[in-house]
Amino acid sequence: MSEDKLKPLRERIDAIDRQMLDLLNQRARIAQEVGHVKAETNAPVFRPEREAQVLRSVAERNPGPLHANDVQTIFREIMSACRALEKRVTVAYLGPVGTFSEQAVYQQFGRAIEGMPCTSIDDVFRAAEAGTADFGVVPIENSSEGVINRTLDLLLQTTLIISGEIGLPVHHSLMTKSGTMDGVQRICAHSQALAQCQRWLNQHCPKIERQAVTSNAEAARMASSDPGIAAIASDIAGQEYNLQIVQAHIQDDPHNRTRFAVIGNLHTAPSGKDQTSIVLSVPNKAGAVYNLLAPLAKHGVSMSRFESRPARTGTWEYYFYVDIEGHALDEKVAKALSELKENAAYFKVLGSYPLSS
Ligand SMILES: O=C(O)C(=O)C[C@]1(C(=O)O)C=C[C@@H](O)C=C1
């Protein structure tokens, strides 16, 4: 009987679970002590650099057979629960529940937080600026659709800084109440999702009307009460609204990813593998952009991203959003930044933070 063979194995698992439970609570008690030390000096509870180091180190030391990603997910939640004993942080994001922004929040902070769904990117910034949320999470760019202009514009104006980044794989599913397309007259999704699934939709549902709505989660909500509507959304949003999957992974690019920024008042310390985001502009004259970036090459600092946005002056001037490798406190980065600042008409460091894995 296989049950006879299972019994001793399960007893061993029970014994290990008891040890793990004990160890987890030992860890939690130390985190509480850390919390007391921080409270004495009013030091911030959430330390993205420390959490990034812990996650990197468990992935590097992981002997298997558990996958490194799965081990990181487990430790992410352990740290989240320990952090919540020090303080449960409130995180604002673009709602409603079930959006990719919400998934990004959990990927960065774990589940032991207070989520604050907002109705717009502007509201996320406002919540973090007003202090009703400790942090905000906003989308910056999608690998197939490009940058989120509203976020870039608001980053320019805000006093908040970027304390972390999150890279989230974005998979879209086509879902309905019944799990079939029978009787479906409309496919609803956010305009970005419709664009990211355009080829698949043209090929498989060319005759069905498409309607852009405020979010994929809103599309899922609509589909849950109307059998004539199919939604494109994440599987999590589908579960939230009791939908069945008609077809999974319909996004045209299988490697579709969205990058999110964690915004707040926290200056993240160096973690050893960091990135710095800056925004600058130059006077509108020949060679200006080339000269502007010369200090990066001079100090051996690599640039990982370069985006331009027209300044709203109507004079063909641009703001350049540049990501560079390293932390603003690293010596060569600090030197390059101070020279960049000298040549720029406008210059702002948006923040230094750990590179997302
Ligand atoms: O090391 C700290 O500063 C802690 O508060 C502990 C801990 C952890 O559980 O490992 C929890 C929260 C911080 O964001 C970082 C790490």
Side-chain angles (χ1 to χ4, degrees), residues 27 31 34 38 45-47 50-51 79 82-83 86:
R27 188 188 195 285
V34 172
K38 286 179 183 168
V45 165
F46 175 51
R47 299 294 176 86
R50 170 67 183 157
E51 296 197 7
M79 281 194 287
C82 288
R83 188 195 324 115
E86 301 180 39

Side-chain angles (χ1 to χ4, degrees), residues 268-305:
T268 303
S271 75
K273 269 190 204 160
D274 302 288
Q275 178 167 284
T276 298
S277 295
I278 53 177
V279 51
L280 27 71
S281 73
V282 280
N284 188 11
K285 58 179 194 243
V289 175
Y290 178 83
N291 291 333
L292 177 74
L293 297 175
L296 293 179
K298 180 176 158 198
H299 294 285
V301 175
S302 312
M303 186 169 67
S304 46
R305 191 169 284 105

Side-chain angles (χ1 to χ4, degrees), residues 99-165:
T99 54
F100 287 112
S101 292
E102 187 188 45
Q103 278 184 45
V105 169
Y106 291 144
Q107 186 169 310
Q108 174 78 2
F109 291 91
R111 296 256 162 182
I113 53 132
E114 229 37 81
M116 185 192 277
C118 297
T119 47
S120 65
I121 293 177
D122 292 56
D123 281 353
V124 177
F125 273 82
R126 263 195 288 273
E129 278 163 0
T132 42
D134 299 298
F135 295 96
V137 165
V138 287
I140 295 199
E141 87 179 318
N142 175 268
S143 57
S144 35
E145 283 304 295
V147 296
I148 316 292
N149 292 328
R150 189 66 192 148
T151 301
L152 293 193
D153 288 347
L154 289 171
L155 281 173
L156 201 62
Q157 298 161 18
T158 188
T159 53
L160 300 171
I161 44 181
I162 302 181
S163 340
E165 75 159 357

